[in-house]
Amino acid sequence: MVRVVKDHLYRKSVAVVLSMQVNLERIVAIWVLAAAFACGLRLAFPATPYDGPPWASGTGLLPYLLVVGAPVGSLLLGLKLFPAGRIHAQPAFRLAQVGRWRKLDCLKAREMSQFGLYGVMASLLIGIAVNVPVRTLEFLSSIPALGSYSPSWFIGLYGVMLADVVILSSLYMFAFAMALRLAPLFPRFLVMVWGVDLLAQLSIAKLVAGMDNVPHGVDAALLDMLTGNVKKVLISAAIWLPYLLLSDRVNVTFRQRVSVK
């Protein structure tokens, strides 16, 4: 019974990964349409009125073009830098030293059943991709559009939160592209992104704490959101870092080595 369930879940993971690879352009198009619609709604309710059409203002339309377009650009860049079907060189220095491993020939690794983005690895891939719309929705729901008469503290807050969503969404999508193309640097790049994410949340908290005239309610709400982001990153790292280090699938697929029992 357990074997039947495992086989069923494995087949589902294969179907999901293949669907993402085949329908990537459609997924990107859906993202652009949905995110643009959500950003349009956010523009319709600014913190302060606009002194003209919001699409004619650099502080109106441009930030949301970045929110929608930066992850797409990062994904396309990653796919271009790591072409499909190419065997990428392994890094000269191996950071993942935990466990005992035997090196594999790159062609031998691709013949093994553990090679590929299937099984549990598919869940990680989906989680990375879902991170982008979740982070974007958090930004859009918590930070109003600037308008033309925003106070200086809100302009500063808006700027750091915009940078956070644009940069981190782009980094996560680049990691997603690396995973899709089986780039050997994917595991360490994802760990780096987690570190950048944690550092970003702590830095934003410090920056906002140093701003003058921030209302207490805004300060408290922002602290709750940043704390939640830190917890999500720590939970993700706690769950997936051991998997990235010890999983046979990750090691065969990205490091071309197999465990020595």
Side-chain angles (χ1 to χ4, degrees), residues 133-172:
V134 169
R135 186 176 291 269
T136 301
L137 284 175
E138 286 180 347
F139 171 75
L140 294 176
S141 61
S142 59
I143 307 295
L146 273 179
S148 300
Y149 307 99
S150 297
S152 58
W153 67 263
F154 182 67
I155 294 174
L157 174 62
Y158 184 90
V160 295
M161 296 306 295
L162 175 66
D164 175 71
V165 70
V166 169
I167 294 172
L168 268 301
S169 294
S170 298
L171 288 175
Y172 278 112

PDB file of all heavy atoms in Angstrom, residues 133-172:
ATOM      1  N   PRO A 133       4.595  35.041  -6.156  1.00  0.00           N
ATOM      2  CA  PRO A 133       3.270  35.655  -6.001  1.00  0.00           C
ATOM      3  C   PRO A 133       2.888  35.920  -4.551  1.00  0.00           C
ATOM      4  O   PRO A 133       2.212  36.916  -4.264  1.00  0.00           O
ATOM      5  CB  PRO A 133       2.321  34.639  -6.654  1.00  0.00           C
ATOM      6  CG  PRO A 133       3.088  33.380  -6.772  1.00  0.00           C
ATOM      7  CD  PRO A 133       4.517  33.766  -6.894  1.00  0.00           C
ATOM      8  N   VAL A 134       3.330  35.069  -3.631  1.00  0.00           N
ATOM      9  CA  VAL A 134       3.019  35.298  -2.215  1.00  0.00           C
ATOM     10  C   VAL A 134       3.678  36.588  -1.734  1.00  0.00           C
ATOM     11  O   VAL A 134       3.045  37.436  -1.087  1.00  0.00           O
ATOM     12  CB  VAL A 134       3.476  34.100  -1.359  1.00  0.00           C
ATOM     13  CG1 VAL A 134       3.416  34.443   0.128  1.00  0.00           C
ATOM     14  CG2 VAL A 134       2.614  32.882  -1.649  1.00  0.00           C
ATOM     15  N   ARG A 135       4.947  36.752  -2.057  1.00  0.00           N
ATOM     16  CA  ARG A 135       5.668  37.964  -1.643  1.00  0.00           C
ATOM     17  C   ARG A 135       5.059  39.205  -2.301  1.00  0.00           C
ATOM     18  O   ARG A 135       4.934  40.261  -1.678  1.00  0.00           O
ATOM     19  CB  ARG A 135       7.143  37.827  -2.022  1.00  0.00           C
ATOM     20  CG  ARG A 135       8.027  38.945  -1.512  1.00  0.00           C
ATOM     21  CD  ARG A 135       9.475  38.661  -1.866  1.00  0.00           C
ATOM     22  NE  ARG A 135       9.984  37.545  -1.105  1.00  0.00           N
ATOM     23  CZ  ARG A 135      10.599  37.664   0.076  1.00  0.00           C
ATOM     24  NH1 ARG A 135      10.756  38.861   0.624  1.00  0.00           N
ATOM     25  NH2 ARG A 135      11.048  36.605   0.701  1.00  0.00           N
ATOM     26  N   THR A 136       4.668  39.070  -3.552  1.00  0.00           N
ATOM     27  CA  THR A 136       4.068  40.198  -4.263  1.00  0.00           C
ATOM     28  C   THR A 136       2.730  40.585  -3.650  1.00  0.00           C
ATOM     29  O   THR A 136       2.435  41.776  -3.465  1.00  0.00           O
ATOM     30  CB  THR A 136       3.885  39.847  -5.750  1.00  0.00           C
ATOM     31  OG1 THR A 136       5.163  39.520  -6.315  1.00  0.00           O
ATOM     32  CG2 THR A 136       3.284  41.012  -6.519  1.00  0.00           C
ATOM     33  N   LEU A 137       1.913  39.597  -3.330  1.00  0.00           N
ATOM     34  CA  LEU A 137       0.617  39.887  -2.707  1.00  0.00           C
ATOM     35  C   LEU A 137       0.793  40.543  -1.344  1.00  0.00           C
ATOM     36  O   LEU A 137       0.021  41.439  -0.975  1.00  0.00           O
ATOM     37  CB  LEU A 137      -0.197  38.596  -2.578  1.00  0.00           C
ATOM     38  CG  LEU A 137      -0.844  38.075  -3.862  1.00  0.00           C
ATOM     39  CD1 LEU A 137      -1.511  36.730  -3.613  1.00  0.00           C
ATOM     40  CD2 LEU A 137      -1.860  39.079  -4.400  1.00  0.00           C
ATOM     41  N   GLU A 138       1.786  40.111  -0.592  1.00  0.00           N
ATOM     42  CA  GLU A 138       2.055  40.742   0.702  1.00  0.00           C
ATOM     43  C   GLU A 138       2.407  42.212   0.518  1.00  0.00           C
ATOM     44  O   GLU A 138       1.935  43.076   1.258  1.00  0.00           O
ATOM     45  CB  GLU A 138       3.196  40.012   1.417  1.00  0.00           C
ATOM     46  CG  GLU A 138       2.814  38.665   1.994  1.00  0.00           C
ATOM     47  CD  GLU A 138       3.979  37.991   2.690  1.00  0.00           C
ATOM     48  OE1 GLU A 138       5.135  38.459   2.515  1.00  0.00           O
ATOM     49  OE2 GLU A 138       3.750  37.000   3.406  1.00  0.00           O
ATOM     50  N   PHE A 139       3.232  42.493  -0.478  1.00  0.00           N
ATOM     51  CA  PHE A 139       3.618  43.879  -0.745  1.00  0.00           C
ATOM     52  C   PHE A 139       2.409  44.711  -1.164  1.00  0.00           C
ATOM     53  O   PHE A 139       2.185  45.816  -0.650  1.00  0.00           O
ATOM     54  CB  PHE A 139       4.687  43.911  -1.842  1.00  0.00           C
ATOM     55  CG  PHE A 139       5.005  45.293  -2.346  1.00  0.00           C
ATOM     56  CD1 PHE A 139       5.768  46.165  -1.588  1.00  0.00           C
ATOM     57  CD2 PHE A 139       4.532  45.720  -3.579  1.00  0.00           C
ATOM     58  CE1 PHE A 139       6.057  47.448  -2.048  1.00  0.00           C
ATOM     59  CE2 PHE A 139       4.817  46.996  -4.051  1.00  0.00           C
ATOM     60  CZ  PHE A 139       5.582  47.860  -3.282  1.00  0.00           C
ATOM     61  N   LEU A 140       1.619  44.191  -2.092  1.00  0.00           N
ATOM     62  CA  LEU A 140       0.483  44.951  -2.605  1.00  0.00           C
ATOM     63  C   LEU A 140      -0.596  45.153  -1.545  1.00  0.00           C
ATOM     64  O   LEU A 140      -1.270  46.190  -1.525  1.00  0.00           O
ATOM     65  CB  LEU A 140      -0.114  44.239  -3.824  1.00  0.00           C
ATOM     66  CG  LEU A 140       0.780  44.164  -5.066  1.00  0.00           C
ATOM     67  CD1 LEU A 140       0.107  43.357  -6.162  1.00  0.00           C
ATOM     68  CD2 LEU A 140       1.138  45.559  -5.567  1.00  0.00           C
ATOM     69  N   SER A 141      -0.767  44.180  -0.678  1.00  0.00           N
ATOM     70  CA  SER A 141      -1.824  44.294   0.329  1.00  0.00           C
ATOM     71  C   SER A 141      -1.419  45.160   1.514  1.00  0.00           C
ATOM     72  O   SER A 141      -2.283  45.711   2.207  1.00  0.00           O
ATOM     73  CB  SER A 141      -2.222  42.899   0.828  1.00  0.00           C
ATOM     74  OG  SER A 141      -1.116  42.251   1.439  1.00  0.00           O
ATOM     75  N   SER A 142      -0.121  45.312   1.741  1.00  0.00           N
ATOM     76  CA  SER A 142       0.316  46.037   2.935  1.00  0.00           C
ATOM     77  C   SER A 142       0.855  47.438   2.649  1.00  0.00           C
ATOM     78  O   SER A 142       0.867  48.288   3.545  1.00  0.00           O
ATOM     79  CB  SER A 142       1.396  45.230   3.672  1.00  0.00           C
ATOM     80  OG  SER A 142       2.513  44.997   2.831  1.00  0.00           O
ATOM     81  N   ILE A 143       1.304  47.688   1.421  1.00  0.00           N
ATOM     82  CA  ILE A 143       1.927  48.979   1.097  1.00  0.00           C
ATOM     83  C   ILE A 143       1.100  49.682   0.021  1.00  0.00           C
ATOM     84  O   ILE A 143       1.081  49.243  -1.135  1.00  0.00           O
ATOM     85  CB  ILE A 143       3.373  48.803   0.593  1.00  0.00           C
ATOM     86  CG1 ILE A 143       4.195  47.968   1.574  1.00  0.00           C
ATOM     87  CG2 ILE A 143       4.023  50.158   0.365  1.00  0.00           C
ATOM     88  CD1 ILE A 143       4.407  48.614   2.923  1.00  0.00           C
ATOM     89  N   PRO A 144       0.402  50.776   0.361  1.00  0.00           N
ATOM     90  CA  PRO A 144      -0.366  51.506  -0.661  1.00  0.00           C
ATOM     91  C   PRO A 144       0.550  52.155  -1.691  1.00  0.00           C
ATOM     92  O   PRO A 144       1.745  52.340  -1.459  1.00  0.00           O
ATOM     93  CB  PRO A 144      -1.106  52.576   0.163  1.00  0.00           C
ATOM     94  CG  PRO A 144      -1.006  52.140   1.582  1.00  0.00           C
ATOM     95  CD  PRO A 144       0.255  51.350   1.701  1.00  0.00           C
ATOM     96  N   ALA A 145      -0.042  52.485  -2.836  1.00  0.00           N
ATOM     97  CA  ALA A 145       0.701  53.257  -3.837  1.00  0.00           C
ATOM     98  C   ALA A 145       1.055  54.626  -3.257  1.00  0.00           C
ATOM     99  O   ALA A 145       0.352  55.155  -2.388  1.00  0.00           O
ATOM    100  CB  ALA A 145      -0.131  53.402  -5.104  1.00  0.00           C
ATOM    101  N   LEU A 146       2.135  55.204  -3.747  1.00  0.00           N
ATOM    102  CA  LEU A 146       2.649  56.438  -3.152  1.00  0.00           C
ATOM    103  C   LEU A 146       1.701  57.623  -3.280  1.00  0.00           C
ATOM    104  O   LEU A 146       1.466  58.358  -2.322  1.00  0.00           O
ATOM    105  CB  LEU A 146       3.983  56.806  -3.815  1.00  0.00           C
ATOM    106  CG  LEU A 146       5.256  56.194  -3.239  1.00  0.00           C
ATOM    107  CD1 LEU A 146       6.452  56.648  -4.047  1.00  0.00           C
ATOM    108  CD2 LEU A 146       5.428  56.579  -1.774  1.00  0.00           C
ATOM    109  N   GLY A 147       1.168  57.828  -4.465  1.00  0.00           N
ATOM    110  CA  GLY A 147       0.483  59.090  -4.710  1.00  0.00           C
ATOM    111  C   GLY A 147       1.501  60.209  -4.891  1.00  0.00           C
ATOM    112  O   GLY A 147       2.705  59.975  -5.010  1.00  0.00           O
ATOM    113  N   SER A 148       1.031  61.429  -4.902  1.00  0.00           N
ATOM    114  CA  SER A 148       1.916  62.573  -5.182  1.00  0.00           C
ATOM    115  C   SER A 148       2.263  63.401  -3.951  1.00  0.00           C
ATOM    116  O   SER A 148       3.075  64.320  -4.043  1.00  0.00           O
ATOM    117  CB  SER A 148       1.256  63.483  -6.227  1.00  0.00           C
ATOM    118  OG  SER A 148       1.020  62.773  -7.430  1.00  0.00           O
ATOM    119  N   TYR A 149       1.654  63.116  -2.821  1.00  0.00           N
ATOM    120  CA  TYR A 149       1.857  63.985  -1.653  1.00  0.00           C
ATOM    121  C   TYR A 149       2.203  63.171  -0.401  1.00  0.00           C
ATOM    122  O   TYR A 149       1.833  63.546   0.713  1.00  0.00           O
ATOM    123  CB  TYR A 149       0.593  64.815  -1.399  1.00  0.00           C
ATOM    124  CG  TYR A 149       0.120  65.575  -2.617  1.00  0.00           C
ATOM    125  CD1 TYR A 149      -0.911  65.074  -3.410  1.00  0.00           C
ATOM    126  CD2 TYR A 149       0.724  66.770  -2.991  1.00  0.00           C
ATOM    127  CE1 TYR A 149      -1.337  65.756  -4.539  1.00  0.00           C
ATOM    128  CE2 TYR A 149       0.303  67.458  -4.121  1.00  0.00           C
ATOM    129  CZ  TYR A 149      -0.727  66.945  -4.891  1.00  0.00           C
ATOM    130  OH  TYR A 149      -1.145  67.624  -6.014  1.00  0.00           O
ATOM    131  N   SER A 150       2.901  62.072  -0.579  1.00  0.00           N
ATOM    132  CA  SER A 150       3.213  61.206   0.557  1.00  0.00           C
ATOM    133  C   SER A 150       4.257  61.842   1.462  1.00  0.00           C
ATOM    134  O   SER A 150       5.174  62.522   0.982  1.00  0.00           O
ATOM    135  CB  SER A 150       3.730  59.854   0.061  1.00  0.00           C
ATOM    136  OG  SER A 150       2.742  59.179  -0.684  1.00  0.00           O
ATOM    137  N   PRO A 151       4.164  61.621   2.763  1.00  0.00           N
ATOM    138  CA  PRO A 151       5.188  62.132   3.685  1.00  0.00           C
ATOM    139  C   PRO A 151       6.516  61.415   3.473  1.00  0.00           C
ATOM    140  O   PRO A 151       6.569  60.312   2.920  1.00  0.00           O
ATOM    141  CB  PRO A 151       4.600  61.821   5.063  1.00  0.00           C
ATOM    142  CG  PRO A 151       3.630  60.710   4.832  1.00  0.00           C
ATOM    143  CD  PRO A 151       3.076  60.909   3.459  1.00  0.00           C
ATOM    144  N   SER A 152       7.574  62.025   3.934  1.00  0.00           N
ATOM    145  CA  SER A 152       8.916  61.495   3.680  1.00  0.00           C
ATOM    146  C   SER A 152       9.111  60.113   4.293  1.00  0.00           C
ATOM    147  O   SER A 152       9.777  59.253   3.704  1.00  0.00           O
ATOM    148  CB  SER A 152       9.968  62.465   4.217  1.00  0.00           C
ATOM    149  OG  SER A 152       9.784  62.678   5.610  1.00  0.00           O
ATOM    150  N   TRP A 153       8.522  59.876   5.475  1.00  0.00           N
ATOM    151  CA  TRP A 153       8.712  58.565   6.098  1.00  0.00           C
ATOM    152  C   TRP A 153       8.070  57.462   5.254  1.00  0.00           C
ATOM    153  O   TRP A 153       8.616  56.351   5.154  1.00  0.00           O
ATOM    154  CB  TRP A 153       8.140  58.542   7.519  1.00  0.00           C
ATOM    155  CG  TRP A 153       6.638  58.661   7.617  1.00  0.00           C
ATOM    156  CD1 TRP A 153       5.919  59.796   7.846  1.00  0.00           C
ATOM    157  CD2 TRP A 153       5.680  57.597   7.470  1.00  0.00           C
ATOM    158  NE1 TRP A 153       4.574  59.518   7.844  1.00  0.00           N
ATOM    159  CE2 TRP A 153       4.399  58.173   7.629  1.00  0.00           C
ATOM    160  CE3 TRP A 153       5.778  56.226   7.237  1.00  0.00           C
ATOM    161  CZ2 TRP A 153       3.225  57.430   7.551  1.00  0.00           C
ATOM    162  CZ3 TRP A 153       4.609  55.478   7.153  1.00  0.00           C
ATOM    163  CH2 TRP A 153       3.356  56.072   7.310  1.00  0.00           C
ATOM    164  N   PHE A 154       6.934  57.773   4.621  1.00  0.00           N
ATOM    165  CA  PHE A 154       6.274  56.750   3.811  1.00  0.00           C
ATOM    166  C   PHE A 154       7.027  56.515   2.502  1.00  0.00           C
ATOM    167  O   PHE A 154       7.101  55.380   2.018  1.00  0.00           O
ATOM    168  CB  PHE A 154       4.828  57.139   3.515  1.00  0.00           C
ATOM    169  CG  PHE A 154       4.094  56.089   2.721  1.00  0.00           C
ATOM    170  CD1 PHE A 154       3.812  54.854   3.272  1.00  0.00           C
ATOM    171  CD2 PHE A 154       3.722  56.322   1.407  1.00  0.00           C
ATOM    172  CE1 PHE A 154       3.162  53.871   2.537  1.00  0.00           C
ATOM    173  CE2 PHE A 154       3.072  55.355   0.663  1.00  0.00           C
ATOM    174  CZ  PHE A 154       2.787  54.120   1.232  1.00  0.00           C
ATOM    175  N   ILE A 155       7.606  57.573   1.952  1.00  0.00           N
ATOM    176  CA  ILE A 155       8.410  57.406   0.736  1.00  0.00           C
ATOM    177  C   ILE A 155       9.598  56.484   1.014  1.00  0.00           C
ATOM    178  O   ILE A 155       9.919  55.588   0.225  1.00  0.00           O
ATOM    179  CB  ILE A 155       8.890  58.776   0.216  1.00  0.00           C
ATOM    180  CG1 ILE A 155       7.688  59.611  -0.239  1.00  0.00           C
ATOM    181  CG2 ILE A 155       9.884  58.602  -0.927  1.00  0.00           C
ATOM    182  CD1 ILE A 155       8.046  61.031  -0.632  1.00  0.00           C
ATOM    183  N   GLY A 156      10.249  56.690   2.166  1.00  0.00           N
ATOM    184  CA  GLY A 156      11.363  55.822   2.534  1.00  0.00           C
ATOM    185  C   GLY A 156      10.925  54.390   2.757  1.00  0.00           C
ATOM    186  O   GLY A 156      11.577  53.441   2.300  1.00  0.00           O
ATOM    187  N   LEU A 157       9.805  54.220   3.463  1.00  0.00           N
ATOM    188  CA  LEU A 157       9.276  52.882   3.718  1.00  0.00           C
ATOM    189  C   LEU A 157       8.894  52.190   2.413  1.00  0.00           C
ATOM    190  O   LEU A 157       9.211  51.012   2.194  1.00  0.00           O
ATOM    191  CB  LEU A 157       8.057  52.984   4.638  1.00  0.00           C
ATOM    192  CG  LEU A 157       7.279  51.694   4.900  1.00  0.00           C
ATOM    193  CD1 LEU A 157       8.161  50.671   5.595  1.00  0.00           C
ATOM    194  CD2 LEU A 157       6.031  51.978   5.736  1.00  0.00           C
ATOM    195  N   TYR A 158       8.234  52.936   1.548  1.00  0.00           N
ATOM    196  CA  TYR A 158       7.817  52.380   0.259  1.00  0.00           C
ATOM    197  C   TYR A 158       9.039  51.938  -0.551  1.00  0.00           C
ATOM    198  O   TYR A 158       9.040  50.867  -1.171  1.00  0.00           O
ATOM    199  CB  TYR A 158       7.028  53.437  -0.513  1.00  0.00           C
ATOM    200  CG  TYR A 158       6.461  52.962  -1.831  1.00  0.00           C
ATOM    201  CD1 TYR A 158       5.197  52.398  -1.902  1.00  0.00           C
ATOM    202  CD2 TYR A 158       7.190  53.091  -3.014  1.00  0.00           C
ATOM    203  CE1 TYR A 158       4.670  51.972  -3.110  1.00  0.00           C
ATOM    204  CE2 TYR A 158       6.678  52.665  -4.223  1.00  0.00           C
ATOM    205  CZ  TYR A 158       5.414  52.111  -4.267  1.00  0.00           C
ATOM    206  OH  TYR A 158       4.904  51.679  -5.468  1.00  0.00           O
ATOM    207  N   GLY A 159      10.081  52.749  -0.527  1.00  0.00           N
ATOM    208  CA  GLY A 159      11.280  52.434  -1.296  1.00  0.00           C
ATOM    209  C   GLY A 159      11.948  51.143  -0.852  1.00  0.00           C
ATOM    210  O   GLY A 159      12.316  50.307  -1.686  1.00  0.00           O
ATOM    211  N   VAL A 160      12.090  50.961   0.458  1.00  0.00           N
ATOM    212  CA  VAL A 160      12.775  49.752   0.929  1.00  0.00           C
ATOM    213  C   VAL A 160      11.909  48.509   0.716  1.00  0.00           C
ATOM    214  O   VAL A 160      12.423  47.432   0.381  1.00  0.00           O
ATOM    215  CB  VAL A 160      13.196  49.882   2.414  1.00  0.00           C
ATOM    216  CG1 VAL A 160      14.231  50.975   2.578  1.00  0.00           C
ATOM    217  CG2 VAL A 160      12.010  50.115   3.331  1.00  0.00           C
ATOM    218  N   MET A 161      10.599  48.646   0.875  1.00  0.00           N
ATOM    219  CA  MET A 161       9.729  47.493   0.658  1.00  0.00           C
ATOM    220  C   MET A 161       9.648  47.136  -0.826  1.00  0.00           C
ATOM    221  O   MET A 161       9.561  45.957  -1.192  1.00  0.00           O
ATOM    222  CB  MET A 161       8.334  47.768   1.217  1.00  0.00           C
ATOM    223  CG  MET A 161       8.299  47.961   2.729  1.00  0.00           C
ATOM    224  SD  MET A 161       9.050  46.587   3.647  1.00  0.00           S
ATOM    225  CE  MET A 161       7.921  45.251   3.251  1.00  0.00           C
ATOM    226  N   LEU A 162       9.668  48.156  -1.681  1.00  0.00           N
ATOM    227  CA  LEU A 162       9.690  47.898  -3.124  1.00  0.00           C
ATOM    228  C   LEU A 162      10.981  47.183  -3.518  1.00  0.00           C
ATOM    229  O   LEU A 162      10.956  46.198  -4.278  1.00  0.00           O
ATOM    230  CB  LEU A 162       9.566  49.216  -3.891  1.00  0.00           C
ATOM    231  CG  LEU A 162       9.698  49.119  -5.418  1.00  0.00           C
ATOM    232  CD1 LEU A 162       8.539  48.333  -6.010  1.00  0.00           C
ATOM    233  CD2 LEU A 162       9.775  50.512  -6.038  1.00  0.00           C
ATOM    234  N   ALA A 163      12.104  47.661  -3.003  1.00  0.00           N
ATOM    235  CA  ALA A 163      13.381  47.012  -3.301  1.00  0.00           C
ATOM    236  C   ALA A 163      13.377  45.565  -2.819  1.00  0.00           C
ATOM    237  O   ALA A 163      13.882  44.663  -3.506  1.00  0.00           O
ATOM    238  CB  ALA A 163      14.526  47.791  -2.650  1.00  0.00           C
ATOM    239  N   ASP A 164      12.790  45.335  -1.659  1.00  0.00           N
ATOM    240  CA  ASP A 164      12.731  43.979  -1.109  1.00  0.00           C
ATOM    241  C   ASP A 164      11.969  43.044  -2.033  1.00  0.00           C
ATOM    242  O   ASP A 164      12.457  41.963  -2.384  1.00  0.00           O
ATOM    243  CB  ASP A 164      12.073  44.018   0.275  1.00  0.00           C
ATOM    244  CG  ASP A 164      11.868  42.631   0.859  1.00  0.00           C
ATOM    245  OD1 ASP A 164      12.862  41.998   1.237  1.00  0.00           O
ATOM    246  OD2 ASP A 164      10.701  42.177   0.925  1.00  0.00           O
ATOM    247  N   VAL A 165      10.775  43.446  -2.451  1.00  0.00           N
ATOM    248  CA  VAL A 165       9.957  42.544  -3.268  1.00  0.00           C
ATOM    249  C   VAL A 165      10.562  42.349  -4.650  1.00  0.00           C
ATOM    250  O   VAL A 165      10.553  41.233  -5.195  1.00  0.00           O
ATOM    251  CB  VAL A 165       8.497  43.047  -3.362  1.00  0.00           C
ATOM    252  CG1 VAL A 165       8.379  44.311  -4.198  1.00  0.00           C
ATOM    253  CG2 VAL A 165       7.592  41.965  -3.932  1.00  0.00           C
ATOM    254  N   VAL A 166      11.136  43.392  -5.224  1.00  0.00           N
ATOM    255  CA  VAL A 166      11.705  43.282  -6.569  1.00  0.00           C
ATOM    256  C   VAL A 166      12.968  42.418  -6.554  1.00  0.00           C
ATOM    257  O   VAL A 166      13.121  41.486  -7.363  1.00  0.00           O
ATOM    258  CB  VAL A 166      12.007  44.679  -7.143  1.00  0.00           C
ATOM    259  CG1 VAL A 166      12.841  44.573  -8.417  1.00  0.00           C
ATOM    260  CG2 VAL A 166      10.708  45.421  -7.435  1.00  0.00           C
ATOM    261  N   ILE A 167      13.875  42.704  -5.634  1.00  0.00           N
ATOM    262  CA  ILE A 167      15.154  41.984  -5.612  1.00  0.00           C
ATOM    263  C   ILE A 167      14.965  40.528  -5.208  1.00  0.00           C
ATOM    264  O   ILE A 167      15.484  39.610  -5.859  1.00  0.00           O
ATOM    265  CB  ILE A 167      16.146  42.690  -4.663  1.00  0.00           C
ATOM    266  CG1 ILE A 167      16.517  44.063  -5.223  1.00  0.00           C
ATOM    267  CG2 ILE A 167      17.403  41.839  -4.469  1.00  0.00           C
ATOM    268  CD1 ILE A 167      17.340  44.912  -4.277  1.00  0.00           C
ATOM    269  N   LEU A 168      14.194  40.292  -4.139  1.00  0.00           N
ATOM    270  CA  LEU A 168      14.040  38.914  -3.675  1.00  0.00           C
ATOM    271  C   LEU A 168      13.226  38.077  -4.650  1.00  0.00           C
ATOM    272  O   LEU A 168      13.548  36.900  -4.886  1.00  0.00           O
ATOM    273  CB  LEU A 168      13.399  38.899  -2.286  1.00  0.00           C
ATOM    274  CG  LEU A 168      14.366  38.898  -1.093  1.00  0.00           C
ATOM    275  CD1 LEU A 168      15.290  37.683  -1.142  1.00  0.00           C
ATOM    276  CD2 LEU A 168      15.195  40.159  -1.027  1.00  0.00           C
ATOM    277  N   SER A 169      12.193  38.650  -5.240  1.00  0.00           N
ATOM    278  CA  SER A 169      11.429  37.897  -6.244  1.00  0.00           C
ATOM    279  C   SER A 169      12.316  37.524  -7.425  1.00  0.00           C
ATOM    280  O   SER A 169      12.241  36.407  -7.952  1.00  0.00           O
ATOM    281  CB  SER A 169      10.232  38.721  -6.728  1.00  0.00           C
ATOM    282  OG  SER A 169       9.292  38.915  -5.698  1.00  0.00           O
ATOM    283  N   SER A 170      13.169  38.453  -7.819  1.00  0.00           N
ATOM    284  CA  SER A 170      14.079  38.182  -8.935  1.00  0.00           C
ATOM    285  C   SER A 170      15.074  37.081  -8.584  1.00  0.00           C
ATOM    286  O   SER A 170      15.358  36.195  -9.405  1.00  0.00           O
ATOM    287  CB  SER A 170      14.824  39.466  -9.323  1.00  0.00           C
ATOM    288  OG  SER A 170      13.922  40.464  -9.750  1.00  0.00           O
ATOM    289  N   LEU A 171      15.602  37.119  -7.375  1.00  0.00           N
ATOM    290  CA  LEU A 171      16.563  36.095  -6.965  1.00  0.00           C
ATOM    291  C   LEU A 171      15.911  34.714  -6.892  1.00  0.00           C
ATOM    292  O   LEU A 171      16.502  33.711  -7.325  1.00  0.00           O
ATOM    293  CB  LEU A 171      17.172  36.465  -5.611  1.00  0.00           C
ATOM    294  CG  LEU A 171      18.159  37.638  -5.609  1.00  0.00           C
ATOM    295  CD1 LEU A 171      18.594  37.970  -4.183  1.00  0.00           C
ATOM    296  CD2 LEU A 171      19.380  37.324  -6.467  1.00  0.00           C
ATOM    297  N   TYR A 172      14.711  34.657  -6.345  1.00  0.00           N
ATOM    298  CA  TYR A 172      14.027  33.362  -6.267  1.00  0.00           C
ATOM    299  C   TYR A 172      13.705  32.822  -7.660  1.00  0.00           C
ATOM    300  O   TYR A 172      13.810  31.610  -7.910  1.00  0.00           O
ATOM    301  CB  TYR A 172      12.757  33.473  -5.425  1.00  0.00           C
ATOM    302  CG  TYR A 172      13.014  33.401  -3.938  1.00  0.00           C
ATOM    303  CD1 TYR A 172      12.824  34.504  -3.115  1.00  0.00           C
ATOM    304  CD2 TYR A 172      13.463  32.220  -3.346  1.00  0.00           C
ATOM    305  CE1 TYR A 172      13.073  34.442  -1.747  1.00  0.00           C
ATOM    306  CE2 TYR A 172      13.711  32.145  -1.983  1.00  0.00           C
ATOM    307  CZ  TYR A 172      13.513  33.263  -1.189  1.00  0.00           C
ATOM    308  OH  TYR A 172      13.769  33.195   0.168  1.00  0.00           O
TER     309      TYR A 172
END
